[in-house]
């Protein structure tokens, strides 16, 4: 007990001594205290940088994490991708050759416009309400607002032809020069240009019809011959009940492929082994003016064009659908700017509208499976997939592009609200990145061919024992009609010249 009391007393003495020393330090002169504190502070020159501080951080556990899939698993998923949705149970167990075209179309998708509608009203309505919001790709032309039959169509290809006319790039034959001059005079004076006159500016898409009772074999056979769309009418009448496109049919067959063994067995095979596609590809250098690309598409009768760099690597794609970005007067400088610059505008617009990044080009390699190719066509809603040379048969997937999209800077007097631009007025352009500066080899590869929806449906038709016409015949016909006649016949004869393929 005595020892414990003594140890406590000793501890209290130590505390008292420390307290006394602290009091004396507090009574010392301020200068001495300040100098002592400053001498004990570290020098600023010894401060460690942020990178030095990170050197001691342990490595991330992700570095030791095992991949969730093996390389073979990734390759299997790449070659045989899954469909976006489950197959429609309505068609389970049914032979696709017995399914009618009426089961794939919806009358609510139809968008009509009267033949006397002004071209400006038709394009404005179609883009803001009909084409973009509804997803429709074509307008049906009728004589009156109550008519249920169509005498023609108006699509992005027609709009491209009108745009070329308005900029003076569409050159008529000599015997139609008076018609062009009269139409140009109306446009410059601000008069309405009827849709029927605008439809007479160039070549037209074949107006093909099928009765709603026709089965899919007739549609596959027709599309496999190069027709892009079929107008579905009520049997025995001219009343339109729907529009069937190549893309809609390919999407249907892809999503329900497991129900159709004759088609499903083709998907695991490589594009090269199936021998589909064409090696005669029409392309344009990215440094060429956009106007030249639009003229080339019109002259060749095609709806999309590959854009390549100086080494023939694919760096982008321009289609007639992209013409919707050129309908405002403030967009006129784009026509004289480069194709590469327009691609950057396309990607920026898609990013703003869709809220997600977009690849500048979609491509496959000769070693890609048909499943991989069709999955890309359906996912991107494209009509063509460019075939590029791949350094290895193991992959044709594009890396994420490193090129940043260019920004469109319009002159100050054009950056306000859009205004109509009279025909034949050229407007200034803005500089753009050169094709030589793009890493095309890293974005895709050297262009070697193209696979289209027509090629896919032609393959399906042949594999099913059907007899489609050679799609190359239709392609040559489009090019001949584009080059030989820049002005086509009146819409008054469209009804009698339409083709009912069910009667073949």
């Amino acid at each position: 007990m005595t020892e414990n009391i003594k140890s406590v007393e000793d501890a209290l003495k130590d505390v008292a001594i420390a307290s006394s020393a602290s009091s004396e330090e507090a009574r010392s002169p301020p200068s001495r205290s300040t100098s002592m504190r400053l001498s004990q502070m570290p020098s600023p020159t010894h401060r460690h940088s942020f990178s030095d501080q990170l050197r001691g951080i342990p490595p991330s556990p992700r570095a030791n994490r095992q991949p969730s899939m093996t390389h073979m698993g990734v390759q299997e998923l790449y070659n045989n991708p899954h469909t976006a949705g489950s197959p429609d149970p309505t068609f389970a167990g049914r032979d696709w050759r017995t399914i009618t075209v009426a089961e794939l179309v919806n009358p609510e998708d139809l968008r009509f416009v009267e033949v006397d509608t002004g071209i400006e009203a038709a394009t404005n309505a179609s883009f803001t309400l009909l084409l973009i919001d509804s997803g429709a790709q074509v307008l049906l032309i009728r004589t009156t607002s109550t008519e249920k039959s169509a005498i023609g169509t108006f699509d992005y290809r027609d709009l491209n032809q009108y745009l070329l006319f308005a900029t003076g790039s569409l050159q008529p034959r000599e015997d139609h020069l008076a018609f062009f001059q009269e139409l140009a005079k109306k446009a410059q004076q601000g008069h309405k240009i009827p849709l029927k006159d605008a439809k007479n500016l160039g070549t037209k898409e074949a107006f093909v019809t099928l009765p709603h009772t026709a089965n899919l074999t007739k549609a596959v056979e027709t599309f496999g011959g190069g027709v892009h769309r079929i107008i579905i009418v009520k049997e025995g009448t001219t009343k339109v009940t729907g529009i069937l496109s190549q893309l809609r049919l390919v999407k249907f067959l892809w999503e329900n492929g497991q129900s159709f063994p004759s088609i499903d067995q083709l998907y695991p095979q490589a594009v090269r082994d199936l021998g589909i596609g064409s090696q005669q590809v029409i392309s344009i250098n990215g440094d060429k003016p956009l106007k030249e690309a639009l003229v080339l598409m019109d002259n060749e009768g095609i709806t999309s064009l590959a854009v390549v760099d100086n080494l023939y690597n694919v760096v982008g794609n321009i289609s007639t659908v992209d013409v919707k970005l050129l309908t405002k007067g403030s967009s006129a400088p784009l026509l004289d700017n480069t194709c590469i610059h327009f691609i950057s505008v396309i990607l920026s617009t898609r990013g703003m509208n869709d809220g997600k990044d977009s690849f500048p080009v979609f491509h496959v390699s000769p070693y890609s499976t048909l499943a991989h190719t069709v999955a890309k066509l359906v996912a991107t809603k494209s009509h063509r997939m460019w075939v590029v040379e791949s350094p290895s048969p193991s992959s044709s997937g594009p890396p994420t592009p490193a090129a940043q999209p260019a920004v469109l800077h319009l002159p100050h007097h054009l950056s306000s609200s859009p205004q109509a631009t009279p025909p034949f007025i050229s407007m200034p352009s803005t500089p753009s990145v050169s094709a030589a500066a793009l890493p095309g080899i890293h974005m895709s590869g050297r262009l070697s061919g193209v696979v289209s929806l027509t090629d896919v449906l032609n393959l399906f038709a042949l594999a099913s024992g059907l007899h489609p016409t050679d799609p190359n015949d239709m392609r040559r016909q489009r090019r001949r009609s584009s080059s030989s006649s820049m002005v086509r016949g009146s819409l008054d004869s469209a009804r009698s010249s339409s083709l009912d393929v069910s009667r073949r």
Side-chain angles (χ1 to χ4, degrees):
M1 181 70 177
T2 305
E3 294 178 355
N4 292 338
I5 295 175
K6 185 177 182 180
S7 61
V8 171
E9 290 177 351
D10 293 341
L12 291 176
K13 288 180 181 180
D14 293 338
V15 172
I17 294 173
S19 176
S20 175
S22 176
S23 300
E24 292 179 0
E25 182 179 355
R27 290 192 298 267
S28 60
S31 58
R32 180 184 175 187
S33 175
T34 304
S35 62
M36 288 179 63
R37 286 196 298 268
L38 291 176
S39 64
Q40 295 173 357
M41 293 181 63
S43 173
T45 57
H46 298 292
R47 181 178 298 173
H48 296 286
S49 66
F50 182 70
S51 60
D52 292 336
Q53 297 175 16
L54 292 179
R55 289 176 182 174
I57 295 180
S60 171
R62 293 183 178 181
N64 298 324
R65 186 173 61 183
Q66 296 297 323
S68 57
M69 294 184 65
T70 64
H71 176 74
M72 292 184 62
V74 173
Q75 189 65 38
E76 174 64 22
L77 182 62
Y78 177 83
N79 290 334
N80 301 285
H82 300 299
T83 57
S86 57
D88 191 338
T90 306
F91 305 103
R94 296 178 58 183
D95 188 341
W96 71 270
R97 292 168 293 188
T98 64
I99 299 173
T100 64
V101 293
E103 298 179 72
L104 268 65
V105 299
N106 187 353
E108 296 182 359
D109 295 339
L110 300 178
R111 298 295 182 268
F112 285 93
V113 63
E114 283 68 58
V115 69
D116 291 327
T117 302
I119 179 66
E120 296 82 5
T123 55
N124 289 338
S126 64
F127 292 143
T128 58
L129 298 176
L130 301 180
L131 291 181
I132 295 180
D133 293 345
S134 68
Q137 295 294 311
V138 59
L139 300 179
L140 295 171
I141 303 176
R142 59 186 177 185
T143 54
T144 64
S145 59
T146 59
E147 187 69 43
K148 298 300 182 182
S149 60
I151 61 174
T153 59
F154 185 87
D155 56 16
Y156 288 109
R157 183 180 176 186
D158 296 305
L159 183 63
N160 181 42
Q161 291 171 342
Y162 178 76
L163 179 65
L164 294 176
F165 156 76
T167 57
S169 302
L170 191 63
Q171 301 300 325
R173 296 185 320 190
E174 185 176 353
D175 53 340
H176 292 284
L177 185 59
F179 169 78
F180 263 55
Q181 291 176 341
E182 180 64 24
L183 209 59
K185 184 178 179 181
K186 286 183 180 180
Q188 290 173 337
Q189 294 176 352
H191 296 164
K192 183 181 78 171
I193 298 180
L195 199 59
K196 61 183 179 181
D197 290 341
K199 283 286 291 183
N200 292 333
L201 289 173
T203 58
K204 62 181 177 180
E205 182 73 20
F207 191 83
V208 179
T209 63
L210 267 179
H212 75 285
T213 55
N215 54 42
L216 291 188
T217 56
K218 203 63 184 177
V220 170
E221 193 173 46
T222 303
F223 283 140
V227 174
H228 291 161
R229 76 173 68 94
I230 300 176
I231 310 299
I232 309 302
V233 297
K234 186 176 181 180
E235 188 175 24
T237 70
T238 58
K239 179 183 178 181
V240 180
T241 61
I243 300 177
L244 184 60
S245 66
Q246 286 183 326
L247 183 60
R248 176 173 294 187
L249 182 54
V250 168
K251 184 175 185 289
F252 169 78
L253 295 174
W254 165 245
E255 293 179 345
N256 298 277
Q258 294 180 354
S259 301
F260 314 135
S262 61
I263 291 178
D264 193 52
Q265 64 178 350
L266 298 172
Y267 288 128
Q269 302 184 49
V271 169
R272 182 186 62 174
D273 298 336
L274 291 171
I276 65 172
S278 173
Q279 295 182 348
Q280 298 179 352
V281 191
I282 301 174
S283 62
I284 190 170
N285 186 275
D287 289 336
K288 295 292 185 179
L290 172 61
K291 188 184 300 183
E292 290 189 18
L294 302 183
V295 172
L296 183 59
M297 284 192 292
D298 185 66
N299 289 344
E300 296 294 335
I302 56 179
T303 57
S304 62
L305 194 64
V307 181
V308 299
D309 63 10
N310 293 349
L311 297 177
Y312 214 58
N313 297 306
V314 181
V315 296
N317 177 88
I318 295 177
S319 71
T320 52
V321 177
D322 300 322
V323 174
K324 62 187 177 183
L325 302 177
L326 303 171
T327 57
K328 298 179 180 180
S330 58
S331 302
L334 292 173
L335 292 172
D336 293 318
N337 213 319
T338 65
C339 293
I340 288 179
H341 182 76
F342 186 55
I343 290 173
S344 70
V345 175
I346 295 172
L347 299 181
S348 299
T349 304
R350 289 178 186 170
M352 290 185 292
N353 293 340
D354 300 338
K356 56 186 178 181
D357 295 334
S358 179
F359 287 106
V361 59
F362 296 98
H363 64 272
V364 295
S365 82
Y367 306 101
S368 299
T369 61
L370 181 64
H372 177 74
T373 304
V374 172
K376 272 194 169 184
L377 287 168
V378 172
T380 60
K381 299 180 181 179
S382 302
H383 285 201
R384 289 173 178 81
M385 197 61 57
W386 309 114
V387 180
V388 300
E389 295 178 358
S390 177
S392 169
S394 62
S395 174
S396 66
T400 302
Q404 297 294 326
V407 179
L408 175 62
H409 298 284
L410 295 177
H412 178 71
H413 67 284
L414 294 175
S415 59
S416 57
S417 58
Q419 299 181 4
T421 304
F424 311 114
I425 293 183
S426 115
M427 305 190 73
S429 60
T430 48
S432 174
V433 64
S434 170
L438 287 177
I441 187 63
H442 301 294
M443 297 170 63
S444 58
R446 184 177 175 84
L447 180 64
S448 62
V450 60
V451 175
S452 67
L453 293 175
T454 297
D455 298 320
V456 173
L457 289 168
N458 184 270
L459 174 66
F460 290 167
L462 295 175
S464 303
L466 304 177
H467 302 87
T469 59
D470 186 353
N472 292 320
D473 293 340
M474 178 67 74
R475 291 164 181 155
R476 285 189 289 266
Q477 181 181 346
R478 287 194 181 102
R479 292 170 185 170
R480 285 196 301 267
S481 59
S482 297
S483 59
S484 62
S485 177
M486 296 304 293
V487 178
R488 56 179 180 244
S490 171
L491 275 177
D492 296 337
S493 60
R495 191 192 306 272
S496 60
S497 62
S498 64
L499 177 61
D500 184 355
V501 293
S502 65
R503 299 177 182 177
R504 290 186 188 175

